[in-house]
Amino acid sequence: MKKLVIAGLVLTATSISASPFEKPTDAIEYRQSAFSMIATNFGDMAEMVKGRKDWDQQQFSQRAQFISQLSLMPEEAFAVEGTDKGDTKAKPEIWSDWDGFTAKLNKFQGDMANLAKVSMDGDERATKRAFGEAAKNCKSCHSDYKYR
Ligand code: HEC
């Protein structure tokens, strides 16, 4: 469990005072919003990789940096109790296998950070290769932890 130390107080990430969410539905909407923004940015990058859209290294790199930051956001929303129920496609395995889930999340975060870095160097081929690696994360996690 991550701990925040604020003015001498030790708060766990899931304690009420550390959570920005008032109720479970807020946390569900928050993580879905993050994934929705991830998907929009990722989709545009995929169009460039497939050649359906002109390659724009700067635009691509900007999107990779957006996703790199967005990928850090869902975790605390999954950590909220009661978010396994309701309007969510999250599978119960997220909570019964929390370590497995967060390992996939961390791999995704690492691959996106790497893509953001590689794309900033400006090499189109290296960028496309790093994109291919990052793209594997979506299906890998969804097949185990998300209902279709
Ligand atoms: C570590 C696991 C994990 C990774 C990696 C991941 N997702 Fe997801 N994704 C989820 C889970 C779980 C949900 C369901 C969230 C919910 O409904 O509460 C979800 C939901 C979504 C949604 C639906 C959002 C909505 O509006 O309800 C989209 C779109 C999506 N993911 C796209 C992607 C794309 C694209 C990638 C890769 C670039 C990706 N995801 C990577 C676990 C993951």
Side-chain angles (χ1 to χ4, degrees):
M1 186 73 53
K2 282 195 193 114
K3 299 224 164 128
L4 295 169
V5 181
I6 300 167
L9 284 175
V10 179
L11 308 169
T12 63
T14 48
S15 77
I16 294 294
S17 38
S19 171
F21 312 111
E22 285 186 12
K23 46 188 189 323
T25 48
D26 293 347
I28 292 173
E29 278 171 24
Y30 179 88
R31 70 199 185 202
Q32 289 174 341
S33 302
F35 280 121
S36 169
M37 286 191 278
I38 286 170
T40 301
N41 282 284
F42 208 75
D44 196 60
M45 292 157 82
E47 291 292 290
M48 286 190 223
V49 169
K50 289 172 187 162
R52 295 202 202 111
K53 205 170 165 175
D54 287 344
W55 184 261
D56 181 336
Q57 186 78 36
Q58 227 182 345
Q59 177 73 265
F60 191 99
S61 185
Q62 173 70 83
R63 297 206 182 289
Q65 285 159 63
F66 285 157
I67 300 177
S68 185
Q69 291 298 305
L70 285 162
S71 72
L72 304 171
M73 298 178 195
E75 182 168 345
E76 72 173 331
F78 284 107
V80 175
E81 221 176 295
T83 61
D84 53 335
K85 295 183 275 301
D87 191 9
T88 176
K89 296 238 165 89
K91 283 189 182 172
E93 283 77 2
I94 290 174
W95 295 278
S96 62
D97 178 28
W98 183 252
D99 287 351
F101 176 67
T102 51
K104 291 215 167 170
L105 203 47
N106 290 343
K107 169 86 164 59
F108 176 51
Q109 291 160 347
D111 283 357
M112 286 313 308
N114 180 57
L115 178 58
K117 186 170 163 289
V118 170
S119 65
M120 257 195 285
D121 292 340
D123 181 332
E124 184 178 327
R125 278 189 59 192
T127 301
K128 285 177 175 167
R129 214 177 309 127
F131 177 85
E133 281 307 306
K136 293 177 190 164
N137 289 281
C138 317
K139 190 159 176 272
S140 161
C141 184
H142 288 177
S143 57
D144 287 348
Y145 299 107
K146 176 181 171 288
Y147 290 115
R148 293 157 68 86

